[in-house]
Structures are given as structure tokens and as C-alpha cells.
């Protein structure tokens, strides 16, 4: 047992914890030590059926409440999350290995923001009145029904809440499947929603790997699927949802560019590049992993970056002085090591890092490659680890063209003091989420999502409402009906 308030069973269904040991055991490994800290069981078909049945029942009652009444539950859940921030943060650290210094400010806090924001919005979700001369029409904003959320392992609390909050605000119910690598946090969110007054069955959590995800997506009771995951998984999930014309949101991977011009504030640019590559040990979908630096400032940039990386404190994630944690799993560490080896083999210059730390757990040092060229594997594929690729460029047009030469389009950033250039470059970059003189800020008020292979739809902000509701249009004739015969 991690601590006394950890989840007490594998699943959370119909307002309570549920166990079914017939499901395949899934070990929960603490990334900082490699030790097994819990075991959950994959959902059996019976568990999945119970979750979907409960969700369908809860949804019809929930949708009949006023938006304000629904919002009140979400806002209360946000308050409870904030009150229990430390407890939730410790659980997040055990689930992912991310340092407590991060989880205390980034995870339950972000989940609470989403619940509070969409709770506040719920009462203002309306249709519109459309005058048509004598006649008129109106639209009603209706929920979709039962939504399925499928999460990646890097932000288990945040991902669950970013999907649940808009879904529930719009009057839907949800069945959420966390990544099997990080199964714990979503269970606590479910528990908190119940405590906040959510009816039994409104938000359910079932465990399992891709198989459980597929079973959920293909069930006819499901109206929508929201996935956070890799592009290959996105393809499969999108295809499965298309068979029944289900709505989808796809938050997928990226290989985002960060452009640093010679007129940028160097200290801020280095800080931005650090945030864009090493926060959460680089396991962030929107990371700016292709750092294009204008040639004239490349040496100064690399020198200052190397200097600042001396401030990395790698160690026990529960020690609040630690600011750099392990990879989420041994498998992920090996994937990242493979990319580092490829970088060296293909001729990139290893500036710093590139090695495992001499300690238990899945720790990899923050790694910087310079002299990276566009064709190298480390410049083309998503690594999802602490590996920064620095590429140099001569001028703006060249940098923009090379930045856009990717199938992904999740995020992009630019550092420059030239205000016109900042907006011109951002306007030309093909990406859904952009940053000027900053990187990776994700306030709930701002839509988040990608273009191209990085995804479909948007999370957060008012934009998310469009993806969890549909319009019914009603034409109202005020006079007689004129039929031709
Ligand atoms: P995966 O794509 O491997 O898995 C994502 C989720 O999908 C997991 O819960 C997984 O289950 C499930 N899954 C896998 N196969 C299927 C299937 N055939 N049908 C239904 N569900 C399936 O991603 P990771 O968990 O490895 O996360 C890393 C990826 O997520 C990176 O590419 C990253 O860029 C992306 N990501 C995107 C974000 C965004 O907002 N755009 C944010 C965070 C991450 P299981 O793993 O248990 O087998």
C-alpha cells in the first residue's frame, strides 16, 4: 500500500469501487525504484458491460438537470481536488514517477481548473434564436450520450479531468480507461466526483490495455471517443469509431518546432527550450523537441543551456528538492535510449547527457544533441523523453519551411523580440497550439489540440463544448402551411 487513501480496487463503476480478479493482473511499477506498488486487473467483458450500463442510465437523468445544477457538482469536485492537492500529487508521483515538485502544481491543480471552468460554463450552454421573417428557428445544444475517454500515461489525472469536465458539463456520462502504465489517479478522480454529488454511474473508470479500449469504442451504447495517445493508436481508434460514425477527439503525438531568433532574449529562450524538452522528463506531447537556433547565437545558446542544466536535481521524486524524475517505465526508458543511440549513430553531436543515471529506477539524464539535421531520426520521430535536438538555421523563411516539414502539427513556438516577426512566423507555422516567447503553457481557457497527424478536435476552452455536444435545429412556422397540392 502506498498510503492509506490509495484506490481500493481496480475499477470504479456505478458510484463505487469494483474488483474482478478474473481480469489479467496489471502490475503498477513505481518508476523511481522499479518496485511493484500495486496490482490492478484488466476489465473483463462483464465489468465493461456494467460500466456502460451504469453510464447510460446515469446520463439520461444527468442531462435532465439544469446546466447550473451540473456545474455545481463539477465546481465542488474542483474544490475537493484542491483541498486534497498534496494527496493527489503524491499519488500522481507514484503513478508516473514525476517529481512531487511538479505534481504539486501541475496535475490535480490542472484537473481542478478544468472542473471549475466547465462547471462555470455549464449554466450558460444555450442554443440560439434565428429570426426568419415571420417564422423562426431555434437550436438546442444537446449532449452526445455516453462518451469514452482513453488516456496516455504522462498526465493521468489531468487527461481524465480534461475529458470528463467538458463531457459532464454538457450532460454526457463517461467511461474512462487510463493507460495500463498509470491506472491509479483516474480512480481517485471518480471517487471525488461521487463525493461532490455526481450520480452513480456518471463517471466510471475501467482498467485494461488496448483490448479494453477497443471493446469500449465498438459498443453501440457509446456516442463519442476521446483519445490521448500516439498517432498509431489514434489511427486504430479513429477507424473503429468511424465504423459507427461516432464522434471523436484525437489528442496525439508531435515533433514540434521551437524557433529561436538571434534577437531573442537568450535567457528566456534557454528557459523556454528547457521547459519545452525536460519538464516531466520530456514526456509531454506538445514538447518543442526540434529547437531551431539561428546560427549567429547557436554557440551562446548551447553554452548557456549546458550551464543551466547543471541545475538539474535528479533523485527521489518524493523529495521536493528533486526537479527531474525518471521515465515512466523501463520500456519507455529503452525506447528513448534507442533514439539516443540512433542520434549518435547518424552523426548528431552529443552535447550533454545521453546516459542512464547510476541509481535504481528508470532515470535518463537530460540529453542535448547539436548539429542535428532534418533527415535524422531524432529530428523526425517523436521520442517522448528528455532529448533535445538543436538544429541551426540562417534565415526566417528557411526556418519556417523546415519547421513545417513534418506530418505532425501539435505545437510550435518562437522566441524573438521583433513583434512583427513573432506574429508572422506563428501565422506561417502549421500547428494547433502556439507560443510566443514562452512554451507549453496550457491554461484551461485556451483551446489545446493539433493539426495534421497530431489530431482532430480541441480540448479545453469553449471550443471543447463543440466536441461534447450537438445541435438540434427546430424550424417553427407561425402561419399556414402552403403545400403545392
Ligand atoms: P498509446 O497510444 O500507446 O496509448 C494511449 C492509450 O490508448 C492507452 O490507454 C492505451 O492502452 C490505449 N490503446 C492502445 N491501443 C489501443 C487500441 N487499439 N484501441 C483503444 N485503445 C488503445 O500512447 P502512450 O500511452 O504511450 O502515450 C504516449 C503518446 O501519447 C505519445 O505519442 C504522446 O504524444 C501522446 N500524447 C498526446 C497528448 C495530446 O494531448 N496531444 C498528451 C499526452 C500524450 P494501454 O497503454 O494501456 O495499452
Amino acid at each position: 500500500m502506498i498510503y492509506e487513501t490509495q484506490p481500493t480496487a481496480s475499477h470504479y463503476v456505478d458510484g463505487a469501487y469494483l474488483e474482478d480478479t478474473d481480469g489479467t493482473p496489471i502490475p503498477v511499477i513505481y518508476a523511481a525504484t522499479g518496485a511493484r506498488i500495486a496490482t490492478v486487473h484488466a476489465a473483463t467483458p462483464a465489468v465493461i458491460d456494467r460500466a456502460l450500463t451504469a453510464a447510460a442510465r446515469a446520463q439520461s437523468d444527468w442531462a435532465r438537470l439544469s446546466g447550473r445544477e451540473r456545474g455545481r457538482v463539477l465546481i465542488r469536485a474542483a474544490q475537493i481536488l484542491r483541498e486534497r492537492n498534496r494527496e493527489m500529487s503524491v499519488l500522481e508521483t507514484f503513478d508516473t514517477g514525476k517529481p512531487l515538485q511538479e505534481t504539486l502544481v501541475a496535475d490535480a491543480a490542472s484537473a481542478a481548473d478544468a472542473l471549475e471552468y466547465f462547471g462555470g460554463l455549464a449554466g450558460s450552454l444555450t442554443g440560439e434564436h434565428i429570426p426568419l421573417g415571420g417564422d423562426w428557428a431555434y437550436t438546442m445544444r444537446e449532449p452526445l450520450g455516453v462518451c469514452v475517454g482513453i488516456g496516455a500515461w504522462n498526465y493521468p489525472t489531468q487527461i481524465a479531468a480534461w475529458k470528463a469536465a467538458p463531457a459532464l458539463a454538457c450532460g454526457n456520462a463517461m467511461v474512462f480507461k487510463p493507460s495500463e502504465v498509470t491506472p491509479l489517479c483516474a480512480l481517485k478522480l471518480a471517487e471525488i466526483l461521487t463525493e461532490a454529488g455526481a450520480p452513480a454511474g456518471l463517471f466510471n473508470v475501467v482498467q485494461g490495455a488496448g483490448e479494453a479500449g477497443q471493446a469500449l469504442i465498438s459498443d453501440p451504447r457509446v456516442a463519442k471517443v476521446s483519445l490521448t495517445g500516439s498517432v498509431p493508436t489514434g489511427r486504430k481508434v479513429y477507424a473503429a469509431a468511424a465504423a459507427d460514425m461516432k464522434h471523436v477527439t484525437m489528442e496525439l503525438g508531435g515533433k514540434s518546432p521551437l524557433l529561436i531568433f538571434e534577437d531573442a532574449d537568450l535567457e528566456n529562450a534557454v528557459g523556454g527550450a528547457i521547459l519545452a524538452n525536460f519538464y516531466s522528463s520530456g514526456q509531454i506531447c506538445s514538447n518543442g523537441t526540434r529547437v531551431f537556433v539561428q546560427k549567429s547565437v547557436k554557440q551562446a545558446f548551447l553554452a548557456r543551456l549546458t550551464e543551466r542544466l547543471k541545475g538539474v536535481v535528479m533523485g527521489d521524486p518524493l523529495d521536493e528538492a528533486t526537479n527531474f524524475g525518471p521515465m515512466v517505465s523501463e520500456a519507455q526508458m529503452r525506447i528513448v535510449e534507442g533514439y539516443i543511440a540512433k542520434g549518435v549513430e547518424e552523426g548528431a553531436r552529443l552535447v550533454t547527457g545521453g546516459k542512464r543515471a547510476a541509481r535504481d529506477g528508470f532515470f535518463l539524464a537530460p540529453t542535448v544533441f547539436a548539429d542535428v539535421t532534418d533527415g535524422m531520426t531524432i529530428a523526425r520521430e517523436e521520442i517522448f523523453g528528455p532529448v533535445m535536438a538543436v538544429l541551426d538555421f540562417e534565415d526566417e523563411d528557411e526556418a519556417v519551411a523546415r519547421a513545417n516539414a513534418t506530418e505532425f502539427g501539435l505545437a510550435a513556438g518562437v522566441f524573438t523580440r521583433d513583434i512583427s516577426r513573432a506574429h508572422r512566423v506563428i501565422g506561417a507555422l502549421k500547428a494547433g497550439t502556439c507560443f510566443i516567447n514562452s512554451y507549453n503553457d496550457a491554461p484551461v481557457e485556451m483551446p489545446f489540440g493539433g493539426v495534421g497527424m497530431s489530431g482532430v478536435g480541441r480540448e479545453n476552452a469553449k471550443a471543447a463544448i463543440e466536441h461534447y455536444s450537438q445541435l438540434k435545429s427546430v424550424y417553427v412556422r407561425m402561419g399556414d402551411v402552403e403545400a403545392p397540392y
Side-chain angles (χ1 to χ4, degrees):
M1 184 185 277
I2 305 169
Y3 59 102
E4 61 193 19
T5 51
Q6 79 173 77
T8 56
S10 298
H11 318 287
Y12 195 94
V13 171
D14 209 2
Y17 279 106
L18 175 68
E19 194 53 271
D20 181 352
T21 51
D22 284 349
T24 310
I26 301 172
V28 186
I29 306 294
Y30 182 36
T33 60
R36 179 194 285 236
I37 50 168
T39 301
V40 298
H41 293 267
T44 55
V47 167
I48 289 176
D49 184 61
R50 274 182 72 171
L52 289 170
T53 304
R57 193 204 57 236
Q59 193 267 324
S60 57
D61 292 342
W62 178 249
R64 272 188 226 113
L65 296 180
S66 71
R68 195 171 38 75
E69 288 169 309
R70 293 198 297 268
R72 195 183 299 148
V73 172
L74 302 190
I75 290 167
R76 175 77 189 113
Q79 285 162 350
I80 299 173
L81 268 172
R82 291 215 169 89
E83 284 157 18
R84 298 195 194 143
N85 183 52
R86 178 162 285 271
E87 178 192 315
M88 288 296 294
S89 304
V90 170
L91 188 66
E92 177 92 22
T93 290
F94 277 115
D95 223 4
T96 62
K98 290 185 293 184
L100 194 56
Q101 191 190 95
E102 276 189 27
T103 57
L104 280 171
V105 295
D107 294 280
S110 165
D113 287 352
L115 288 160
E116 188 173 61
Y117 177 84
F118 286 105
L121 218 55
S124 65
L125 302 179
T126 57
E128 59 177 336
H129 168 259
I130 305 161
L132 298 165
D135 294 349
W136 53 286
Y138 64 98
T139 59
M140 299 162 73
R141 188 167 287 285
E142 297 187 334
L144 302 174
V146 174
C147 300
V148 162
I150 300 178
W153 41 254
N154 57 343
Y155 278 78
T157 308
Q158 184 196 78
I159 290 172
W162 280 18
K163 297 186 188 311
L168 304 191
C170 290
N172 304 287
M174 180 164 271
V175 179
F176 185 81
K177 188 203 84 66
S179 162
E180 61 182 324
V181 180
T182 53
L184 302 178
C185 293
L187 293 165
K188 290 304 277 189
L189 178 66
E191 201 186 308
I192 286 171
L193 277 162
T194 300
E195 195 179 330
L202 192 68
F203 181 74
N204 309 275
V205 177
V206 298
Q207 306 295 347
E211 227 169 80
Q214 283 293 329
L216 289 168
I217 301 160
S218 53
D219 193 285
R221 287 168 287 187
V222 171
K224 149 133 202 165
V225 183
S226 176
L227 169 77
T228 297
S230 62
V231 172
T233 302
R235 276 207 183 91
K236 287 184 211 155
V237 170
Y238 205 164
D244 299 315
M245 218 56 81
K246 289 172 180 162
H247 296 249
V248 294
T249 298
M250 296 279 143
E251 290 295 350
L252 308 177
K255 189 73 195 175
S256 301
L258 172 57
L259 277 53
I260 297 173
F261 286 90
E262 60 192 2
D263 65 347
D265 178 309
L266 186 71
E267 207 54 30
N268 285 334
V270 170
I274 287 172
L275 289 177
N277 283 273
F278 300 130
Y279 200 71
S280 299
S281 299
Q283 303 167 114
I284 297 183
C285 51
S286 50
N287 270 359
T289 48
R290 288 184 295 145
V291 181
F292 291 90
V293 181
Q294 202 155 16
K295 241 181 201 153
S296 49
V297 292
K298 172 183 156 182
Q299 289 317 330
F301 173 82
L302 287 173
R304 191 61 193 130
L305 176 65
T306 313
E307 188 61 31
R308 281 184 61 175
L309 286 178
K310 291 184 186 144
V312 166
V313 182
M314 203 189 292
D316 176 4
L318 292 168
D319 178 347
E320 282 180 52
T322 297
N323 59 23
F324 193 89
M327 299 285 86
V328 74
S329 64
E330 187 169 1
Q332 188 61 19
M333 180 177 70
R334 292 194 188 286
I335 289 170
V336 178
E337 283 181 316
Y339 277 110
I340 292 170
K342 263 256 177 301
V344 172
E345 190 188 309
E346 292 180 7
R349 175 161 63 90
L350 185 61
V351 176
T352 183
K355 286 191 297 283
R356 274 193 210 183
R359 51 180 304 132
D360 286 344
F362 315 130
F363 289 87
L364 271 180
T367 297
V368 177
F369 280 105
D371 305 337
V372 177
T373 54
D374 298 351
M376 289 180 185
T377 309
I378 59 167
R380 286 187 290 105
E381 296 182 13
E382 183 180 47
I383 298 175
F384 227 60
V387 182
M388 182 194 297
V390 178
L391 307 94
D392 5 296
F393 70 92
E394 299 276 1
D395 65 46
E396 183 181 315
D397 288 348
E398 174 209 338
V400 168
R402 289 170 59 202
N404 281 339
T406 171
E407 61 174 3
F408 298 110
L410 186 52
V414 58
F415 275 84
T416 175
R417 284 197 179 96
D418 179 339
I419 187 171
S420 304
R421 167 148 59 199
H423 295 291
R424 188 170 60 236
V425 166
I426 288 296
L429 288 173
K430 291 183 186 150
T433 310
C434 295
F435 309 94
I436 294 177
N437 292 329
S438 186
Y439 209 88
N440 266 347
D441 309 84
V444 66
E445 296 89 343
M446 181 173 114
F448 180 86
V451 302
M453 294 304 286
S454 291
V456 169
R458 292 290 177 270
E459 295 200 299
N460 290 343
K462 289 180 194 148
I465 298 300
E466 300 299 328
H467 301 289
Y468 283 100
S469 62
Q470 57 197 344
L471 292 179
K472 176 182 278 175
S473 300
V474 184
Y475 187 100
V476 182
R477 183 173 293 281
M478 299 300 285
D480 294 333
V481 174
E482 284 176 29
Y485 48 83

